[in-house]
Structure formats: C-alpha cells, structure tokens
Amino acid sequence: MPDLLLELRSEEIPARMQRKAAGDLRKMLTDGLVEAGLTYEAAREYWTPRRLTLDIRGLTARSKDIHEEIKGPSTTAPEQAVQGFLRKAGLASIAEAHVHSDPKKGDFYVAHISKPGRAAEEIIAELMPGIIRNFPWPKSMRWGPASAKPGSLRWVRPLQSILCTFGPETEEPVVVDFEIDGIRSGNVTYGHRFLAPGQITVRRFDDYVSKLEAAKVVLDADRRKEIILADARNLAFANGLDLVEDEGLLEEVSGLVEWPVVLMGEFEEAFLAIPAEVIRLTIRANQKCFVTRPQGAGDALSNRFILTANIEAKDGGKEIAHGNGKVVRARLSDALYFWTTDQGDLPDLGELDASAKKFGLDLKKPLDQRMARLDHLGVTFHAKLGTQGERVGRIMRLAEELAPMVAKSISLLEGEMAGRPEGVASHEAPASSVGDKASLPVGPTSSVAFGDISPSRGEMSALARRAAVLAKADLTTEVVGEFPELQGAMGRKYALLQGEHPSVAAAIEEHYKPQGPSDYVPSDPVSVAVALADKLDTLVGFWAIDEKPTGSKDPYALRRAALGVVRILVENRIQLRLASLFASAGARYSGSGADQISDLLAFFHDRLKVYLRDQGARHDLIDAVITPQSDDLLQIVRRVEALGSFLDSEDGRNLLAGTKRAANILAAEEKKKTLVAEIVEPALFREEAEKSLFAAVNQAEKQAGEAIQNEDFSAAMLALSALREPIDSFFEHVLVNDEDQAVRANRLALLARIREATGKVADFSKIAG
C-alpha cells in the first residue's frame, strides 16, 4: 500500500513548541484522511528546529465508493418537513428522491446517495492548505510583501518549503500537488543551514532520512537527545567529572540543534562560592548548558559546563566554547552580586523599624530585613485580601495554632511506628483494602531531626511562628527576583546562614510543598504547620471573596492547594478538624461565614475523593463514608480502609445484603407513608427472631459507638458483623408487613434501628453490590 511523506520546512521553530506541533500536524491530517474515507496502518511524526515531518504508512490509495439510503418523511408530510429532508440529503428537488411504500406507514421518500471514491492524492491536496492555514500555533506571524494583504498566511516562523510525496514502495512516488500563498509542494528539501545547505531531492521516507543524515540533519528528536546525553556523559567522564542530568534541558536543547555537537566550557573557580542551585539555573536559563560535578563529590559543582553546538567548527569548537564561557562568566558575575548583596544590609534599613517591631524581627539579620521590607513596601497579595505583610501575619497566627496539634499527631504516629515489627519501614503503612493497592502512604520520616529531646508544644509554636514570619522574606531578595523558581530554597539557605533553627529553615522551603501530585510531602512538624497555614489561609481567603475555581479555570491554583492539604494530612496521618480551622482562619475575613465553611468543606471532599480514587479506593465506599459534616480527612480515610476490609469478608458481604434489604423495605414503606413506630416496643414481638435481632442491634450499636469514639473503625465493623446472623434469621422467619398495623409499624421501626446502627459507620445504601 502507498506511503505518504510530508515535510513543512520553515525558519527556526521555538523548541518548546516543536513536540506538540508535530503531534498536532499528525492528528489534523490523519483525522482528515479518516473522515474522507481513507485508512492507514501507521503514522509517526518527527521534528527538528526547522521542519515538521509526517511518515504515514499503508495509506489506502482511494476512498471507497459510497452508496447509502436516507429515509425521508411521508409523501403527505408538510412542505417544511420535505424541505428539511432535501437539505439533509443534498437533493435539489423532491423529483430526485424515490418513493418507497410500507404496509403500515404508507408511502415515504428515500434519497439514494451515490458518491464515487476519490484518489488519496486529491484528498490530501484538498486537506493540506486548510490544515496549514488553521494550524494551532500558540503564536504565529506573517512575513514578506504578502503580509500586507488580508488573510495572508500565518505560521510560527516564515514557511519556506513543502515536501509531499505519495506512492507504494514498488513504484516511483508522485508529488501531491497543492499550493498555499505562493509556496507549491514538491519533492525537494534542504539540509543543515550551514553544513549542507544545498537542495535535496527525495522519493520516500527512507531515502529522505538517509539523505538528511548525509546533509547533517538528525531527524529523530529522541535520537538527538540520545546523542547529546551520551556525548555529554562521555565528555564529562573523560575530564574526571559527572554530568548533572536535566531532562527538561535535554528536551529543549534537542530542539535547538539539527546536528548536535557536544563541547565543554569553563568558568573561574571563584564562582563556585555561589550556591549550586543558582549556578545551575544561571547557566541553564542563559546559555542552555549542563553543569558538571567532580566524580564522587556529592552536590558540589565543578567549574566546567557542557554546551551543545549546532555546527562542526574547524577549530574543534574552541572558539564556540570560549564564547559561551564569556557569557556564562558575565551571568555568574551577576549571580555572585545578587548572592552577596542578599547577605548585606538594606539601604533603607532605617525605615523598617515599625515593620520589625510588628513581627518581632531582628534587623541585624539579613532575612529579617527582607521580611521587614516586604511589609514596609506594602506589596499587594491580592486587591481584596490585602498585602503580603498582612498575609504573613495571618499565616503566622494560624501556624502557631496548628503547631501543637500537628506535633501531637506526628508524635503519636512515630509512637505507632516505633512499635512495628523489625524490618517494617517507618514510612510504610500497613496493607489494607482501600483498593488493590496497599494502604495510603504515610509521609517520609521528618526531614529535620530534633535530637533526643523533642520541643515542647510552646517551643513548637514558637518555631512555627518564626518560620511563618520568615517564609515569604526571600521574595524580596535579589536571587529570587532573578530566579523566582528558587523561592523557598534561597530562604532556607539564608536562614541557615543567619543561624536559624534547622526546622525553621526547612519550613521556609517546604511550606510551598507539595506543589503537585508527584511532589514530596513535608513531614517535619514545623514545615507541616506552616505549609497547612499557608494553604488554608489562601483557600479561606479566596472563598471569603467568592473567587472559587469554576469549571476548568483555577487562576489561583486553589485545587492544588486543597490537594496539598489533603496529602499533608493523610500521608502524615494527622487528625485535624477542618471546620474549626476554617472558622479560625475565616475570623480574619469579614466575608467568611457558615455557608463559606460548608462550601469549602465540600470542595475538600471532592479533592479527597480524587486523591483516594487515584490511590485505588472504590468510589462507592468513599461516598458511603463521607457526610457533609465530615471534617476530619484522616478519619474518612480510616473509615474507607476499615469498610473495604470488612466488605472483603463473608460477614461483610452478607451483612451488606441484609442491611440493603432492610433499607429497601423501609424506604418503600416510607414512600407509601406506611406508619413506622417511633421506638421499638419489645412487647409487640411475636417471633423469637425479632427478639434476637433487637438484642443484637442494641449490643452492636453500643459496641460500634464505643469503637467509633475510640476511632477504632475495624472494631466498629467487627461489632456490626454480629448483626449478620440475626438479620438473616429475621428475614427468614418474620413477615415484616404483618396484618396487624401495630406489629407492622414495630417491625419497620426495628428495620430503622438496623439502618441507624450501620449508619454510624457508613451509609450502606450507597455501596454497590
């Protein structure tokens, strides 16, 4: 079967756009081909900085002839219906329709449509101009004299040529002929801009790839990545170094070159006094280069870097490496200036006394100065939520409140972990039946050690207060101003330099965590308290001003903040009452009230459901456990785990069946407004099974209630399992709808007691099965 080769060659496409653009081109063309009645065996896209290429194999040479019948209205139908039928069938008049008869429905119109198939070349030539004109580039441009005309072609960069050939391997392929804005398709492309700029005539994909390779163009982006990575590793190793690998940078660099040539540059060792993160970001952002480290030197960097050129220079690349080194040295000089400036006194230090007093800051310390300046300048957080300084004040007070509660929960968890059998890791949770997976993960052990003596609750609050006060201070530093992605990380470094407690320094960096589903969760109590305070203040604040996420829009990343709270609480096994925390945080906002708290709690329930489903939990078990008032997320998780384990047992499955039967009978009678007694009256029992069930319900309800009070949900399930046999016996020996109204009402009340008893643990009516 024939194959199609397509290349759109242009000026250099931004690296960040290439992969998606190639995928978009494949989808737009293959969707169009299929819609036109063609099929294909395989399609693969390729890209370089100057070209988007498609290789479509096994494309049918011609679309099939179409013969179909379109049934129309009755021959007696009104004119409006007839006209609608003609439009649908594409007929000029009713005379072109046929009349069919049906013994029951009478005569009706039918359109017989016949469309002959079309050659694939014709279809492709028809599709391509529209695809090119409507291509979804994030940004595009017009160029040349034609750009002055309305409707002129737009492309990400000036489009220079189009290659399009079609045909089977056994024959000479043809050029699929089409034209757009003066650019006509052909069988010609061009090699590397500098190394082999001449014209290349190609027939099909295989010789296209080989001729481009000979013309110093590596078509496959993944192969370019492999070449760059292997050569960079080897060059570093040959110089006694290890490459600091960076997948994002590797992807970008592979989109900057068609013929990768890996070289090594260097800068003065004096610049190594700058933090490694800053050096790496400086070199990455400005020169798209990789950094290296001495072999076996841990995180310390070397003064050599790896660059990727797009040309084989006659001098072996010495001048290219030297030029890159000059630029790197200039950028590192700026970075060194930022780094040293951040550790000196601010020029406006004399104006910061009021802010320092407000937050208890020591203006002899650089990071304290930065926090005082943040408040003094009145930097706005949000027009309706005040300044960054005001926000820090709110986070500080909430972190103080949270710290003792967090410390208590983590200390209890560590106590539980200490009692584990030898060989069980402290960060692993016991297996359960949330799904086919193990129990939800507990966070890693604390990132900061307190030594042999843990801080008191008062000391913990003081540490959390201090960390919250300094958490946003690095926003006004020079380094973070240049590299915003280092916020938090630089705050931690500066905090350690000025002698802050390790937990305070860690919290300054970790309070932003987790920033996504794959990011790590902080576990140090101070970090946890500040991270929770930061996220809860954000959520409560935006709820108070009615700036909630809508549909797919979430400009303030509130879903991510809520998921962060969920993960921190669940993975660290922390029990907190969210409703009271919302109220405490909301007390600082005039617009926050009971309705906002209820709505925000529902928002958290949705985030928890998403999280638990991702962990393998059954959605019906989650729905059975969550109520609108549920505000302890960890308790919800434990209930789901216990319920899942219980329903995996025979007792659980049988009790579920019996309970649902009781609930269904009760619901049906309530719907018919049948009388249900307010209380169960033992004097009205006529069968032994009624007495046994009543006694079992009383006992199970009491034991389950006590277990729930102790938050032992497995014990609560065990208590309910005792109901299995009495419920089975009741339905086997007792007729609920007795002729005696009083007896019937009493028996229905007994069923209501079953629903109430099991409802203390979960709403069994929402469980499938």
Side-chain angles (χ1 to χ4, degrees):
M1 294 181 71
D3 301 328
L4 173 67
L5 170 63
L6 172 70
E7 179 200 75
L8 303 177
R9 188 180 63 88
S10 67
E11 296 289 341
E12 277 72 7
I13 304 167
R16 67 183 183 280
M17 298 183 188
Q18 294 167 17
R19 183 181 291 272
K20 183 179 184 303
D24 287 341
L25 179 61
R26 176 180 55 79
K27 185 177 189 308
M28 292 174 78
L29 182 53
T30 55
D31 284 356
L33 294 173
V34 171
E35 189 175 339
L38 300 177
T39 61
Y40 61 95
E41 293 175 358
R44 183 175 174 185
E45 68 273 28
Y46 299 86
W47 61 92
T48 78
R50 300 177 63 215
R51 64 199 84 220
L52 300 179
T53 299
L54 274 186
D55 173 28
I56 300 181
R57 302 290 176 96
L59 183 65
T60 47
R62 186 178 183 84
S63 63
K64 292 182 179 179
D65 296 341
I66 297 174
H67 302 285
E68 62 176 331
E69 292 185 354
I70 300 176
K71 187 177 179 181
S74 167
T75 54
T76 60
E79 182 63 21
Q80 186 176 0
V82 172
Q83 291 301 318
F85 164 65
L86 294 177
R87 287 193 297 272
K88 177 182 177 182
L91 301 181
S93 71
I94 198 64
E96 297 180 5
H98 296 256
V99 176
H100 288 202
S101 296
D102 184 278
K104 294 181 180 179
K105 298 181 180 180
D107 294 345
F108 58 92
Y109 293 114
V110 174
H112 292 186
I113 307 297
S114 294
K115 294 181 181 178
R118 294 193 297 159
E121 302 98 291
E122 180 185 341
I123 294 172
I124 296 164
E126 183 180 279
L127 286 172
M128 282 310 304
I131 289 173
I132 293 172
R133 285 196 180 278
N134 299 306
F135 202 80
W137 291 110
K139 291 184 179 180
S140 56
M141 62 179 289
R142 293 181 291 179
W143 62 93
S147 64
K149 301 176 184 177
S152 62
L153 177 63
R154 299 179 68 91
W155 198 246
V156 62
R157 295 292 184 268
L159 188 62
Q160 296 179 328
S161 69
I162 301 171
L163 182 152
C164 192
T165 65
F166 179 72
E169 290 186 12
T170 55
E171 299 176 15
E172 187 70 20
V174 299
V175 171
V176 180
D177 184 41
F178 60 91
E179 181 265 342
I180 181 167
D181 270 30
I183 304 172
R184 183 165 292 280
S185 58
N187 60 352
V188 170
T189 188
Y190 297 83
H192 190 283
R193 181 188 292 278
F194 305 111
L195 299 177
Q199 179 176 298
I200 303 169
T201 302
V202 300
R203 300 172 65 248
R204 53 177 53 86
F205 183 76
D206 291 341
D207 74 301
Y208 167 77
V209 172
S210 61
K211 287 180 178 179
L212 278 182
E213 189 96 13
K216 306 297 184 181
V217 175
V218 178
L219 181 67
D220 188 344
D222 289 332
R223 184 162 165 258
R224 292 199 302 276
K225 288 172 67 173
E226 291 170 3
I227 292 170
I228 294 167
L229 183 59
D231 288 356
R233 284 172 175 168
N234 292 338
L235 183 57
F237 183 79
N239 286 271
L241 305 168
D242 287 328
L243 177 71
V244 178
E245 297 184 15
D246 184 331
E247 177 60 31
L249 179 59
L250 182 61
E251 172 79 11
E252 184 175 10
V253 169
S254 73
L256 297 175
V257 297
E258 289 194 320
W259 189 254
V261 177
V262 173
L263 305 169
M264 179 173 282
E266 66 178 320
F267 55 86
E268 286 76 5
E269 290 188 357
F271 289 122
L272 295 177
I274 306 169
E277 299 94 326
V278 179
I279 294 175
R280 184 174 178 179
L281 266 177
T282 299
I283 294 176
R284 185 189 200 278
N286 291 287
Q287 288 304 103
K288 314 301 180 190
C289 296
F290 298 88
V291 294
T292 63
R293 61 169 62 99
Q295 292 175 359
D299 293 333
L301 298 183
S302 80
N303 66 325
R304 304 284 186 89
F305 61 91
I306 302 288
L307 62 115
T308 308
N310 190 35
I311 189 171
E312 291 176 341
K314 293 179 180 178
D315 64 354
K318 291 181 181 179
E319 194 60 35
I320 295 173
H322 177 70
N324 275 266
K326 287 174 65 177
V327 177
V328 165
R329 282 190 285 277
R331 297 294 175 261
L332 288 178
S333 293
D334 292 342
L336 183 59
Y337 170 78
F338 297 148
W339 169 246
T340 54
T341 299
D342 284 342
Q343 296 170 66
D345 288 340
L346 291 172
D348 55 350
L349 193 57
E351 303 173 16
L352 307 180
D353 289 336
S355 293
K357 185 176 181 181
K358 184 193 303 184
F359 291 101
L361 298 168
D362 182 355
L363 292 182
K364 294 178 182 177
K365 298 181 176 181
L367 203 56
D368 290 56
Q369 293 180 24
R370 269 66 188 174
M371 177 55 221
R373 172 184 265 189
L374 183 67
D375 179 64
H376 173 70
L377 294 176
V379 177
T380 300
F381 169 62
H382 185 279
K384 295 181 181 179
L385 296 175
T387 66
Q388 284 282 12
E390 291 169 335
R391 181 166 183 252
V392 167
R394 296 192 300 267
I395 295 171
M396 175 188 74
R397 289 184 286 273
L398 191 54
E400 277 186 295
E401 181 182 341
L402 281 163
M405 295 184 265
V406 168
K408 180 181 178 182
S409 285
I410 289 182
S411 140
L412 289 172
L413 173 64
E414 289 173 347
E416 291 174 11
M417 296 299 178
R420 284 176 177 269
E422 186 177 349
V424 177
S426 63
H427 61 278
E428 294 175 344
S432 80
S433 56
V434 167
D436 294 329
K437 302 181 181 181
S439 172
L440 297 172
V442 175
T445 53
S446 294
S447 54
V448 176
F450 286 112
D452 296 331
I453 302 176
S454 296
S456 67
R457 292 192 182 186
E459 291 169 329
M460 190 66 72
S461 291
L463 289 172
R465 175 190 175 92
R466 178 65 175 165
V469 166
L470 297 178
K472 309 296 181 184
D474 68 352
L475 295 178
T476 59
T477 61
E478 299 290 335
V479 170
V480 173
E482 180 72 9
F483 302 112
E485 56 267 53
L486 287 178
Q487 65 180 16
M490 295 312 301
R492 181 176 193 162
K493 287 188 175 296
Y494 293 140
L496 291 172
L497 282 174
Q498 68 179 37
E500 299 295 335
H501 190 287
S503 281
V504 170
I508 293 172
E509 178 176 17
E510 294 181 338
H511 83 281
Y512 291 108
K513 303 291 184 180
Q515 293 188 321
S518 59
D519 197 10
Y520 78 89
V521 172
S523 58
D524 176 83
V526 179
S527 295
V528 168
V530 181
L532 288 173
D534 178 55
K535 292 169 178 60
L536 290 173
D537 175 76
T538 298
L539 288 157
V540 172
F542 281 106
W543 247 254
I545 62 172
D546 198 26
E547 289 278 2
K548 299 174 285 189
T550 55
S552 61
K553 295 182 179 179
D554 186 9
Y556 304 110
L558 301 181
R559 290 188 181 95
R560 185 175 72 185
L563 181 60
V565 173
V566 168
R567 289 190 61 204
I568 289 170
L569 295 179
V570 172
E571 295 180 26
N572 282 302
R573 295 299 211 198
I574 295 172
Q575 286 196 268
L576 292 177
R577 292 289 181 186
L578 287 179
S580 62
L581 288 172
F582 295 161
S584 178
R588 301 173 180 97
Y589 298 100
S590 58
S592 185
D595 290 342
Q596 285 82 7
I597 289 173
S598 177
D599 190 49
L600 183 53
L601 196 55
F603 181 72
F604 267 90
H605 289 166
D606 289 340
R607 294 301 94 203
L608 179 63
K609 288 177 183 179
V610 170
Y611 174 74
L612 290 178
R613 287 168 189 163
D614 287 345
Q615 299 294 321
R618 284 170 47 182
H619 67 86
D620 57 330
L621 301 192
I622 303 169
D623 291 338
V625 164
I626 289 182
T627 68
Q629 295 76 36
S630 301
D631 69 342
D632 185 334
L633 303 186
L634 181 60
Q635 189 181 92
I636 294 171
V637 172
R638 285 174 169 167
R639 283 176 180 261
V640 171
E641 290 175 340
L643 184 58
S645 295
F646 179 56
L647 294 177
D648 281 344
S649 69
E650 185 180 356
D651 279 348
R653 289 189 292 270
N654 289 338
L655 178 61
L656 174 62
T659 302
K660 293 193 109 179
R661 184 177 177 185
N664 290 338
I665 293 171
L666 189 59
E669 295 304 317
E670 288 174 336
K671 188 175 182 180
K672 293 187 289 186
K673 302 198 182 303
T674 304
L675 178 66
V676 180
E678 292 186 7
I679 61 170
V680 178
E681 181 52 67
L684 292 173
F685 291 155
R686 293 181 178 176
E687 303 290 342
E688 192 63 34
E690 291 178 276
K691 298 176 185 177
S692 299
L693 178 57
F694 182 61
V697 168
N698 286 335
Q699 181 71 8
E701 195 169 37
K702 178 175 179 292
Q703 291 178 348
E706 290 173 352
I708 290 170
Q709 284 287 339
N710 295 326
E711 299 194 355
D712 188 344
F713 302 110
S714 295
M717 296 294 173
L718 184 62
L720 290 183
S721 68
L723 291 175
R724 173 206 165 174
E725 189 174 329
I727 289 176
D728 290 346
S729 180
F730 176 83
F731 283 121
E732 185 177 349
H733 298 102
V734 177
L735 177 65
V736 175
N737 287 323
D738 194 88
E739 293 180 359
D740 187 319
Q741 182 178 343
V743 172
R744 180 170 66 248
N746 197 56
R747 288 174 178 171
L748 289 172
L750 186 53
L751 298 186
R753 286 290 307 281
I754 295 172
R755 185 171 64 184
E756 291 169 13
T758 55
K760 289 182 181 295
V761 175
D763 185 348
F764 277 54
S765 68
K766 293 182 178 178
I767 301 174

